[in-house]
Amino acid sequence: MHTTTKTVCVFGGTGFVGRHLAQRLTRDGHYVRIPTRHRERHRELLVNPRIKLIEADVYDTRVLRELIQGTDAVINLVGILNESGNDGSGFEHAHVELPRRILSACNVTGTRRLLHMSALNAHPREEHSHYLRTKGVAEDLVHAAARDGMQVTSFRPSVIFGPDDSFFNRFHGLLKLTPWLFPLACPDAKMSPVYVGDVVEAFARSLQDPATIGRHCDICGPETYTLQQLVEYTARAAGLRRHVLRLGNTTSWLQARLLEFVPGKPFSRDNFWSLQKEGVCHENCLLDLDITPTAIAAVVPGYIGNGSSQRRYQAFREQARR
């Protein structure tokens, strides 16, 4: 596919997916603007001459317009998995208010291309999960802007993994802290983990492909697992002997309620409700973009565990190639 050099503003560009995406876009020759509240915390991005880190308040209307002015496209990756309270206002602020302000700024500056990160199972009428509801509201909001000339593609990934993820790495940390028995909420929750490299490749290709305009793209990895299977896989990859204690729905909910009081909220009632939905794709947009989904066995053992895991990683890679 022919690549035209663009200037792209990436909101959420200092996060897990954003850092990978910024580097991927510059390999295509694009110039990337990344607003951040704390520029000095992300100086590793500054070594790339095509990336410009700008300290900014993205909720300031004037600043937002200046960030987007002169860009060819905007990418919104901003998302939170938990909020400080429990009333949904934190989710509303990050997932709905910011996209609304971005659309308004695009309308003023004339930037028409928008790639937007949503989530599998996002729906504006979701009854229990504020995360899924606000993601759904925002997805509908940005696509509705097509009537004003916006050219929007949204992406709805399953759980995303990669070397600096907050999924396998978090469970790895919890498994190390937990003796032989590991209590697991929602053990039968289903998901199809998708590699961050495949996710950013989908964004990069869609940026150049007008056929993706207007699409809601579900993106998943090649295999579907239960949460219990993924936790047990993490333990094996890390060389840890652990037995998973399956918690029922009531106990899982109670665990979520308790862990909401733990710093960092490792698990919440909103997470519990999100896990009641299957995080799987019925149609995987990666295949439409000619991207072969990457298996967890080809990547995860390379960043979970110690030297022995590295040796297992090589074995897993050989197995994945067959």
Side-chain angles (χ1 to χ4, degrees), residues 115-132:
L115 306 185
H116 175 79
M117 182 71 89
S118 186
L120 271 182
N121 299 311
H123 196 287
R125 291 188 295 278
E126 160 63 31
E127 295 182 4
H128 301 292
S129 169
H130 293 306
Y131 172 79
L132 291 177

Side-chain angles (χ1 to χ4, degrees), residues 83-105:
E83 59 180 355
S84 57
N86 292 298
D87 62 355
S89 59
F91 289 112
E92 190 81 19
H93 186 65
H95 295 164
V96 181
E97 182 59 26
L98 181 58
R100 182 179 288 118
R101 288 172 179 262
I102 289 172
L103 289 173
S104 178

Side-chain angles (χ1 to χ4, degrees), residues 212-252:
T212 63
I213 293 172
R215 289 196 62 180
H216 303 249
C217 296
D218 290 358
I219 45 182
C220 287
E223 302 288 344
T224 297
Y225 303 88
T226 64
L227 183 58
Q228 179 175 347
Q229 288 174 324
L230 291 171
V231 170
E232 290 172 341
Y233 176 88
T234 304
R236 290 196 304 272
L240 299 172
R241 291 181 176 271
R242 298 291 185 272
H243 178 74
V244 170
L245 175 64
R246 295 167 52 87
L247 302 182
N249 271 353
T250 300
T251 314
S252 295

Side-chain angles (χ1 to χ4, degrees), residues 281-302:
C281 295
H282 299 292
E283 294 184 11
N284 194 345
C285 191
L286 291 182
L287 303 179
D288 297 338
L289 292 168
D290 199 28
I291 300 169
T292 301
T294 303
I296 62 173
V299 179
V300 174

Side-chain angles (χ1 to χ4, degrees), residues 102-115:
I102 289 172
L103 289 173
S104 178
C106 286
N107 189 49
V108 172
T109 63
T111 300
R112 288 289 169 254
R113 188 71 170 110
L114 172 64
L115 306 185

